[in-house]
Amino acid sequence: MNCPICRKATSWDGNPWRPFCSERCQLTDLGSWAMEEYRVPGPNLTMELPSENAEAVESPDDEWTGNHGKQSKG
Ligand SMILES: [Zn+2]
């Protein structure tokens, strides 16, 4: 038995995605017709990139250098 999507040899025994080889191919088959139904005109196929802390700017709140007060000793 070959997967109808990727034509890869797959077994039916204990295969929850049969007749497909994997969940990916099963979703691909489902998506093939689903996309026809739910086809939306717009840039909806954007990949979400992991937001990183790429803020390489100096913080205005310099707590460590807050040495404005006068030191009156004596
Ligand atoms: Zn497959």
Side-chain angles (χ1 to χ4, degrees):
M1 183 64 194
N2 288 359
C3 174
I5 299 299
C6 66
R7 304 296 178 184
K8 196 165 68 176
T10 177
S11 62
W12 283 54
D13 284 336
N15 184 6
W17 305 293
R18 64 177 180 266
F20 310 103
C21 69
S22 63
E23 184 181 14
R24 177 178 161 275
C25 285
Q26 187 186 47
L27 293 175
T28 300
D29 184 72
L30 292 174
S32 62
W33 63 263
M35 282 182 68
E36 296 292 327
E37 292 284 325
Y38 303 101
R39 181 179 291 175
V40 288
N44 238 9
L45 296 173
T46 53
M47 293 182 65
E48 281 192 51
L49 295 174
S51 58
E52 295 179 21
N53 271 344
E55 293 182 34
V57 293
E58 297 170 30
S59 303
D61 50 341
D62 300 324
E63 293 181 44
W64 56 275
T65 186
N67 205 10
H68 300 292
K70 273 195 288 186
Q71 265 189 311
S72 54
K73 195 174 186 180

PDB file of all heavy atoms in Angstrom, residues 2-10 19-26 28, ligand 1:
ATOM      1  N   ASN A   2       0.573   2.140  -0.896  1.00  0.00           N
ATOM      2  CA  ASN A   2       1.344   3.372  -0.953  1.00  0.00           C
ATOM      3  C   ASN A   2       0.464   4.561  -0.585  1.00  0.00           C
ATOM      4  O   ASN A   2      -0.737   4.573  -0.837  1.00  0.00           O
ATOM      5  CB  ASN A   2       1.905   3.588  -2.359  1.00  0.00           C
ATOM      6  CG  ASN A   2       3.028   2.614  -2.667  1.00  0.00           C
ATOM      7  OD1 ASN A   2       3.396   1.805  -1.823  1.00  0.00           O
ATOM      8  ND2 ASN A   2       3.563   2.686  -3.842  1.00  0.00           N
ATOM      9  N   CYS A   3       1.092   5.539   0.000  1.00  0.00           N
ATOM     10  CA  CYS A   3       0.372   6.740   0.386  1.00  0.00           C
ATOM     11  C   CYS A   3      -0.114   7.463  -0.872  1.00  0.00           C
ATOM     12  O   CYS A   3       0.660   7.682  -1.794  1.00  0.00           O
ATOM     13  CB  CYS A   3       1.296   7.648   1.200  1.00  0.00           C
ATOM     14  SG  CYS A   3       0.571   9.241   1.600  1.00  0.00           S
ATOM     15  N   PRO A   4      -1.390   7.809  -0.910  1.00  0.00           N
ATOM     16  CA  PRO A   4      -1.940   8.471  -2.095  1.00  0.00           C
ATOM     17  C   PRO A   4      -1.416   9.889  -2.274  1.00  0.00           C
ATOM     18  O   PRO A   4      -1.628  10.497  -3.317  1.00  0.00           O
ATOM     19  CB  PRO A   4      -3.455   8.473  -1.837  1.00  0.00           C
ATOM     20  CG  PRO A   4      -3.590   8.361  -0.364  1.00  0.00           C
ATOM     21  CD  PRO A   4      -2.409   7.581   0.110  1.00  0.00           C
ATOM     22  N   ILE A   5      -0.765  10.397  -1.245  1.00  0.00           N
ATOM     23  CA  ILE A   5      -0.273  11.772  -1.321  1.00  0.00           C
ATOM     24  C   ILE A   5       1.174  11.792  -1.786  1.00  0.00           C
ATOM     25  O   ILE A   5       1.515  12.411  -2.794  1.00  0.00           O
ATOM     26  CB  ILE A   5      -0.394  12.461   0.042  1.00  0.00           C
ATOM     27  CG1 ILE A   5      -1.852  12.519   0.485  1.00  0.00           C
ATOM     28  CG2 ILE A   5       0.192  13.867  -0.028  1.00  0.00           C
ATOM     29  CD1 ILE A   5      -2.753  13.304  -0.441  1.00  0.00           C
ATOM     30  N   CYS A   6       2.017  11.111  -1.059  1.00  0.00           N
ATOM     31  CA  CYS A   6       3.438  11.167  -1.378  1.00  0.00           C
ATOM     32  C   CYS A   6       3.932   9.871  -2.007  1.00  0.00           C
ATOM     33  O   CYS A   6       5.108   9.735  -2.314  1.00  0.00           O
ATOM     34  CB  CYS A   6       4.248  11.489  -0.134  1.00  0.00           C
ATOM     35  SG  CYS A   6       4.188  10.191   1.118  1.00  0.00           S
ATOM     36  N   ARG A   7       3.037   8.924  -2.192  1.00  0.00           N
ATOM     37  CA  ARG A   7       3.368   7.652  -2.853  1.00  0.00           C
ATOM     38  C   ARG A   7       4.423   6.871  -2.089  1.00  0.00           C
ATOM     39  O   ARG A   7       5.133   6.076  -2.664  1.00  0.00           O
ATOM     40  CB  ARG A   7       3.879   7.911  -4.271  1.00  0.00           C
ATOM     41  CG  ARG A   7       2.907   8.712  -5.106  1.00  0.00           C
ATOM     42  CD  ARG A   7       1.626   7.936  -5.322  1.00  0.00           C
ATOM     43  NE  ARG A   7       0.639   8.710  -6.086  1.00  0.00           N
ATOM     44  CZ  ARG A   7      -0.601   8.290  -6.337  1.00  0.00           C
ATOM     45  NH1 ARG A   7      -0.999   7.140  -5.864  1.00  0.00           N
ATOM     46  NH2 ARG A   7      -1.433   9.024  -7.024  1.00  0.00           N
ATOM     47  N   LYS A   8       4.480   7.141  -0.801  1.00  0.00           N
ATOM     48  CA  LYS A   8       5.459   6.413  -0.012  1.00  0.00           C
ATOM     49  C   LYS A   8       4.829   5.138   0.527  1.00  0.00           C
ATOM     50  O   LYS A   8       3.641   5.118   0.857  1.00  0.00           O
ATOM     51  CB  LYS A   8       5.953   7.270   1.158  1.00  0.00           C
ATOM     52  CG  LYS A   8       7.227   6.733   1.774  1.00  0.00           C
ATOM     53  CD  LYS A   8       7.865   7.783   2.665  1.00  0.00           C
ATOM     54  CE  LYS A   8       7.025   8.066   3.918  1.00  0.00           C
ATOM     55  NZ  LYS A   8       7.724   9.018   4.808  1.00  0.00           N
ATOM     56  N   ALA A   9       5.629   4.117   0.584  1.00  0.00           N
ATOM     57  CA  ALA A   9       5.129   2.838   1.073  1.00  0.00           C
ATOM     58  C   ALA A   9       4.704   2.967   2.523  1.00  0.00           C
ATOM     59  O   ALA A   9       5.454   3.452   3.370  1.00  0.00           O
ATOM     60  CB  ALA A   9       6.212   1.782   0.944  1.00  0.00           C
ATOM     61  N   THR A  10       3.491   2.546   2.782  1.00  0.00           N
ATOM     62  CA  THR A  10       2.975   2.635   4.147  1.00  0.00           C
ATOM     63  C   THR A  10       2.193   1.381   4.489  1.00  0.00           C
ATOM     64  O   THR A  10       1.682   0.689   3.607  1.00  0.00           O
ATOM     65  CB  THR A  10       2.055   3.859   4.314  1.00  0.00           C
ATOM     66  OG1 THR A  10       1.533   3.869   5.622  1.00  0.00           O
ATOM     67  CG2 THR A  10       0.923   3.826   3.320  1.00  0.00           C
ATOM     68  N   PRO A  19      -5.475   5.732   4.663  1.00  0.00           N
ATOM     69  CA  PRO A  19      -4.442   5.100   3.823  1.00  0.00           C
ATOM     70  C   PRO A  19      -3.200   5.973   3.636  1.00  0.00           C
ATOM     71  O   PRO A  19      -2.381   5.681   2.783  1.00  0.00           O
ATOM     72  CB  PRO A  19      -5.177   4.935   2.477  1.00  0.00           C
ATOM     73  CG  PRO A  19      -6.117   6.097   2.428  1.00  0.00           C
ATOM     74  CD  PRO A  19      -6.504   6.379   3.854  1.00  0.00           C
ATOM     75  N   PHE A  20      -3.090   7.024   4.420  1.00  0.00           N
ATOM     76  CA  PHE A  20      -1.938   7.894   4.284  1.00  0.00           C
ATOM     77  C   PHE A  20      -0.795   7.368   5.146  1.00  0.00           C
ATOM     78  O   PHE A  20      -0.996   6.550   6.034  1.00  0.00           O
ATOM     79  CB  PHE A  20      -2.287   9.327   4.679  1.00  0.00           C
ATOM     80  CG  PHE A  20      -3.539   9.817   3.994  1.00  0.00           C
ATOM     81  CD1 PHE A  20      -4.737   9.868   4.691  1.00  0.00           C
ATOM     82  CD2 PHE A  20      -3.507  10.190   2.680  1.00  0.00           C
ATOM     83  CE1 PHE A  20      -5.892  10.301   4.061  1.00  0.00           C
ATOM     84  CE2 PHE A  20      -4.663  10.629   2.040  1.00  0.00           C
ATOM     85  CZ  PHE A  20      -5.857  10.678   2.734  1.00  0.00           C
ATOM     86  N   CYS A  21       0.392   7.894   4.885  1.00  0.00           N
ATOM     87  CA  CYS A  21       1.557   7.380   5.603  1.00  0.00           C
ATOM     88  C   CYS A  21       1.717   8.097   6.930  1.00  0.00           C
ATOM     89  O   CYS A  21       2.274   7.567   7.870  1.00  0.00           O
ATOM     90  CB  CYS A  21       2.809   7.554   4.745  1.00  0.00           C
ATOM     91  SG  CYS A  21       3.304   9.278   4.537  1.00  0.00           S
ATOM     92  N   SER A  22       1.220   9.309   6.993  1.00  0.00           N
ATOM     93  CA  SER A  22       1.404  10.067   8.225  1.00  0.00           C
ATOM     94  C   SER A  22       0.288  11.090   8.353  1.00  0.00           C
ATOM     95  O   SER A  22      -0.516  11.295   7.427  1.00  0.00           O
ATOM     96  CB  SER A  22       2.765  10.763   8.236  1.00  0.00           C
ATOM     97  OG  SER A  22       2.826  11.696   7.187  1.00  0.00           O
ATOM     98  N   GLU A  23       0.286  11.744   9.506  1.00  0.00           N
ATOM     99  CA  GLU A  23      -0.755  12.748   9.734  1.00  0.00           C
ATOM    100  C   GLU A  23      -0.613  13.903   8.767  1.00  0.00           C
ATOM    101  O   GLU A  23      -1.576  14.537   8.352  1.00  0.00           O
ATOM    102  CB  GLU A  23      -0.640  13.256  11.172  1.00  0.00           C
ATOM    103  CG  GLU A  23      -1.748  14.247  11.528  1.00  0.00           C
ATOM    104  CD  GLU A  23      -1.589  14.753  12.950  1.00  0.00           C
ATOM    105  OE1 GLU A  23      -0.505  14.550  13.524  1.00  0.00           O
ATOM    106  OE2 GLU A  23      -2.536  15.339  13.475  1.00  0.00           O
ATOM    107  N   ARG A  24       0.643  14.156   8.405  1.00  0.00           N
ATOM    108  CA  ARG A  24       0.901  15.282   7.518  1.00  0.00           C
ATOM    109  C   ARG A  24       0.202  15.082   6.172  1.00  0.00           C
ATOM    110  O   ARG A  24      -0.419  15.994   5.636  1.00  0.00           O
ATOM    111  CB  ARG A  24       2.407  15.421   7.306  1.00  0.00           C
ATOM    112  CG  ARG A  24       2.773  16.531   6.344  1.00  0.00           C
ATOM    113  CD  ARG A  24       4.278  16.636   6.238  1.00  0.00           C
ATOM    114  NE  ARG A  24       4.664  17.339   5.033  1.00  0.00           N
ATOM    115  CZ  ARG A  24       4.803  16.779   3.847  1.00  0.00           C
ATOM    116  NH1 ARG A  24       4.590  15.508   3.723  1.00  0.00           N
ATOM    117  NH2 ARG A  24       5.154  17.483   2.802  1.00  0.00           N
ATOM    118  N   CYS A  25       0.315  13.845   5.645  1.00  0.00           N
ATOM    119  CA  CYS A  25      -0.302  13.566   4.353  1.00  0.00           C
ATOM    120  C   CYS A  25      -1.821  13.559   4.480  1.00  0.00           C
ATOM    121  O   CYS A  25      -2.527  13.952   3.564  1.00  0.00           O
ATOM    122  CB  CYS A  25       0.210  12.243   3.810  1.00  0.00           C
ATOM    123  SG  CYS A  25       1.891  12.382   3.163  1.00  0.00           S
ATOM    124  N   GLN A  26      -2.290  13.113   5.631  1.00  0.00           N
ATOM    125  CA  GLN A  26      -3.736  13.111   5.835  1.00  0.00           C
ATOM    126  C   GLN A  26      -4.284  14.540   5.834  1.00  0.00           C
ATOM    127  O   GLN A  26      -5.291  14.835   5.208  1.00  0.00           O
ATOM    128  CB  GLN A  26      -4.062  12.444   7.173  1.00  0.00           C
ATOM    129  CG  GLN A  26      -5.559  12.254   7.369  1.00  0.00           C
ATOM    130  CD  GLN A  26      -5.890  11.727   8.759  1.00  0.00           C
ATOM    131  OE1 GLN A  26      -5.390  12.227   9.748  1.00  0.00           O
ATOM    132  NE2 GLN A  26      -6.708  10.702   8.825  1.00  0.00           N
ATOM    133  N   THR A  28      -2.853  16.970   4.450  1.00  0.00           N
ATOM    134  CA  THR A  28      -2.660  17.508   3.107  1.00  0.00           C
ATOM    135  C   THR A  28      -3.837  17.160   2.220  1.00  0.00           C
ATOM    136  O   THR A  28      -4.318  17.983   1.452  1.00  0.00           O
ATOM    137  CB  THR A  28      -1.370  16.933   2.500  1.00  0.00           C
ATOM    138  OG1 THR A  28      -0.284  17.310   3.323  1.00  0.00           O
ATOM    139  CG2 THR A  28      -1.150  17.467   1.093  1.00  0.00           C
TER     140      THR A  28
HETATM  141 ZN    ZN B   1       2.438  10.258   2.597  1.00  0.00          ZN
END
